[in-house]
Amino acid sequence: MTSRPVVNLVCLWNRAVPLLHGSSVRAFHASACNTSSQPEGGFKPAKVAVVTKTTRYEFEQQRYRYAGLSEEDLKQLLAMKGSSYSGLLERHNIHTNNVEHIVKSLKKQGNEVQVVKRGEYDEEVVRWADTIISAGGDGTMLLVASKVLSKDKPVVGVNTDPERSEGHLCLPVRYTHAFPEALEKLCRGEFRWLWRQRIRLHLEGTGINPTPVDLHEQQLSLEQHSQAHRITIMDRQRRTGTLHDSFSKPSLLPVRGLNEIFIGESLSSRASYYEISVDDGPWEKQKNSGLSICTGTGSKAWSYNINKLAEQAVEDVLKIGMCRSGLDIPLDLEFIEKVTDEYNKSLVFSPEERLLFFSIREPIVNRVFSSSRQRGFATKVCVRSRCWDACMVVDGGTSFEFNDGAIATISMSEEDRLRTVILEN
């Protein structure tokens, strides 16, 4: 007797999921289809740059180096913070050994190899290399990708500490130790190209400071972050004689976002105030906890965690739906898990899909401020800042000042795609 209400409720839910994202969204299964391409022949680069992450052990050493601390002093300081010196050193050695394994395998194959630390990685390294290998985790991969502007230069991620790093953007973890096998498959053409779409940013308006602050190596506090932006402003003033630039037409920034960009006040307890236009639609004033705009690659990362529903929330909504509709269905755990999983899956789309997914965090809605759509797909998003001390952060690593008068246009272009590889287990 309960089968028809169950079917009706599931069908209503399936129709409701696309409406939550706006009319431009396609069905999840259609958008998540794999459109990666087969290579024409093998792939064997001549020059390979291996960009390595900074381990926590190295970071702590650098942090206290200028204080003249000995290794024994470092041990005691780490112990006082509840960290294990021996544990950090062990993870550092695992990473270092895996990097050496990668380099030896490349040289044995006849490649010219340049090993570069994260802090030394720049445009000159990118120009020199035929291929760039990210030796670390997802954070290192994002840093490497941000400086590669050409779609013809492959980027390959290798997870050098699989036990402690997810490595979602890297090769399957077994190739960390079996890297020669991965190279052989690349040479034989036994892989697929995955062309990951990326975000490009144009800035215009007044109060523009296009010089970024690199957050990857700095672990900045709020005060230090603001000071770093002030330093870049003063440097620009000394060079140009003006405090800020004013662009009458959009200026393309020299970075690309692989996961997402975030716009918001630097102080998280302060509401972010801006105006937003989606796909050349009307401008809307908004106040909230910040704006996230992601790619298909980033739809499994921060964006997913911003928007995903918990089973408890789904159960509460279904109970209200039952009361309002008069439906009588058994809300067992399996049914709730199925509905929750179906909704959360709809938040993920293919890395090759040329779509942006925007998420407005905790919107304030009243008679002055509105939020007609809290999330949705788009091809272009324009944001005009009305903030006091805000930033626009690309992939959590590159920060641009974004205060009152600045206008950002967020979009995609086929020429910005990142060339990565897929190797099967």
Side-chain angles (χ1 to χ4, degrees), residues 68-78:
L69 295 180
S70 66
E71 202 74 2
E72 188 60 36
D73 292 332
L74 180 59
K75 287 182 184 179
Q76 294 179 11
L77 269 173
L78 290 172

Side-chain angles (χ1 to χ4, degrees), residues 11 35 39 78 85 127 133 153 185 202 217 235 244 247 264 282 289 305-306 311 326 365 371 377 385:
C11 289
T35 57
L78 290 172
Y85 173 86
R127 285 192 295 270
I133 291 179
K153 188 156 298 189
K185 286 188 174 182
H202 288 85
E217 292 292 321
D235 286 343
H244 285 93
F247 295 120
S289 297
N305 289 287
I306 290 172
E311 291 174 6
V365 179
S371 181
F377 288 92
S385 176

Side-chain angles (χ1 to χ4, degrees), residues 373-392:
R373 292 169 63 191
Q374 190 168 344
R375 66 184 70 85
F377 288 92
T379 56
K380 184 173 79 169
V381 178
C382 296
V383 183
R384 180 186 289 118
S385 176
R386 297 300 182 210
C387 296
W388 291 102
D389 183 24
C391 54
M392 180 169 60

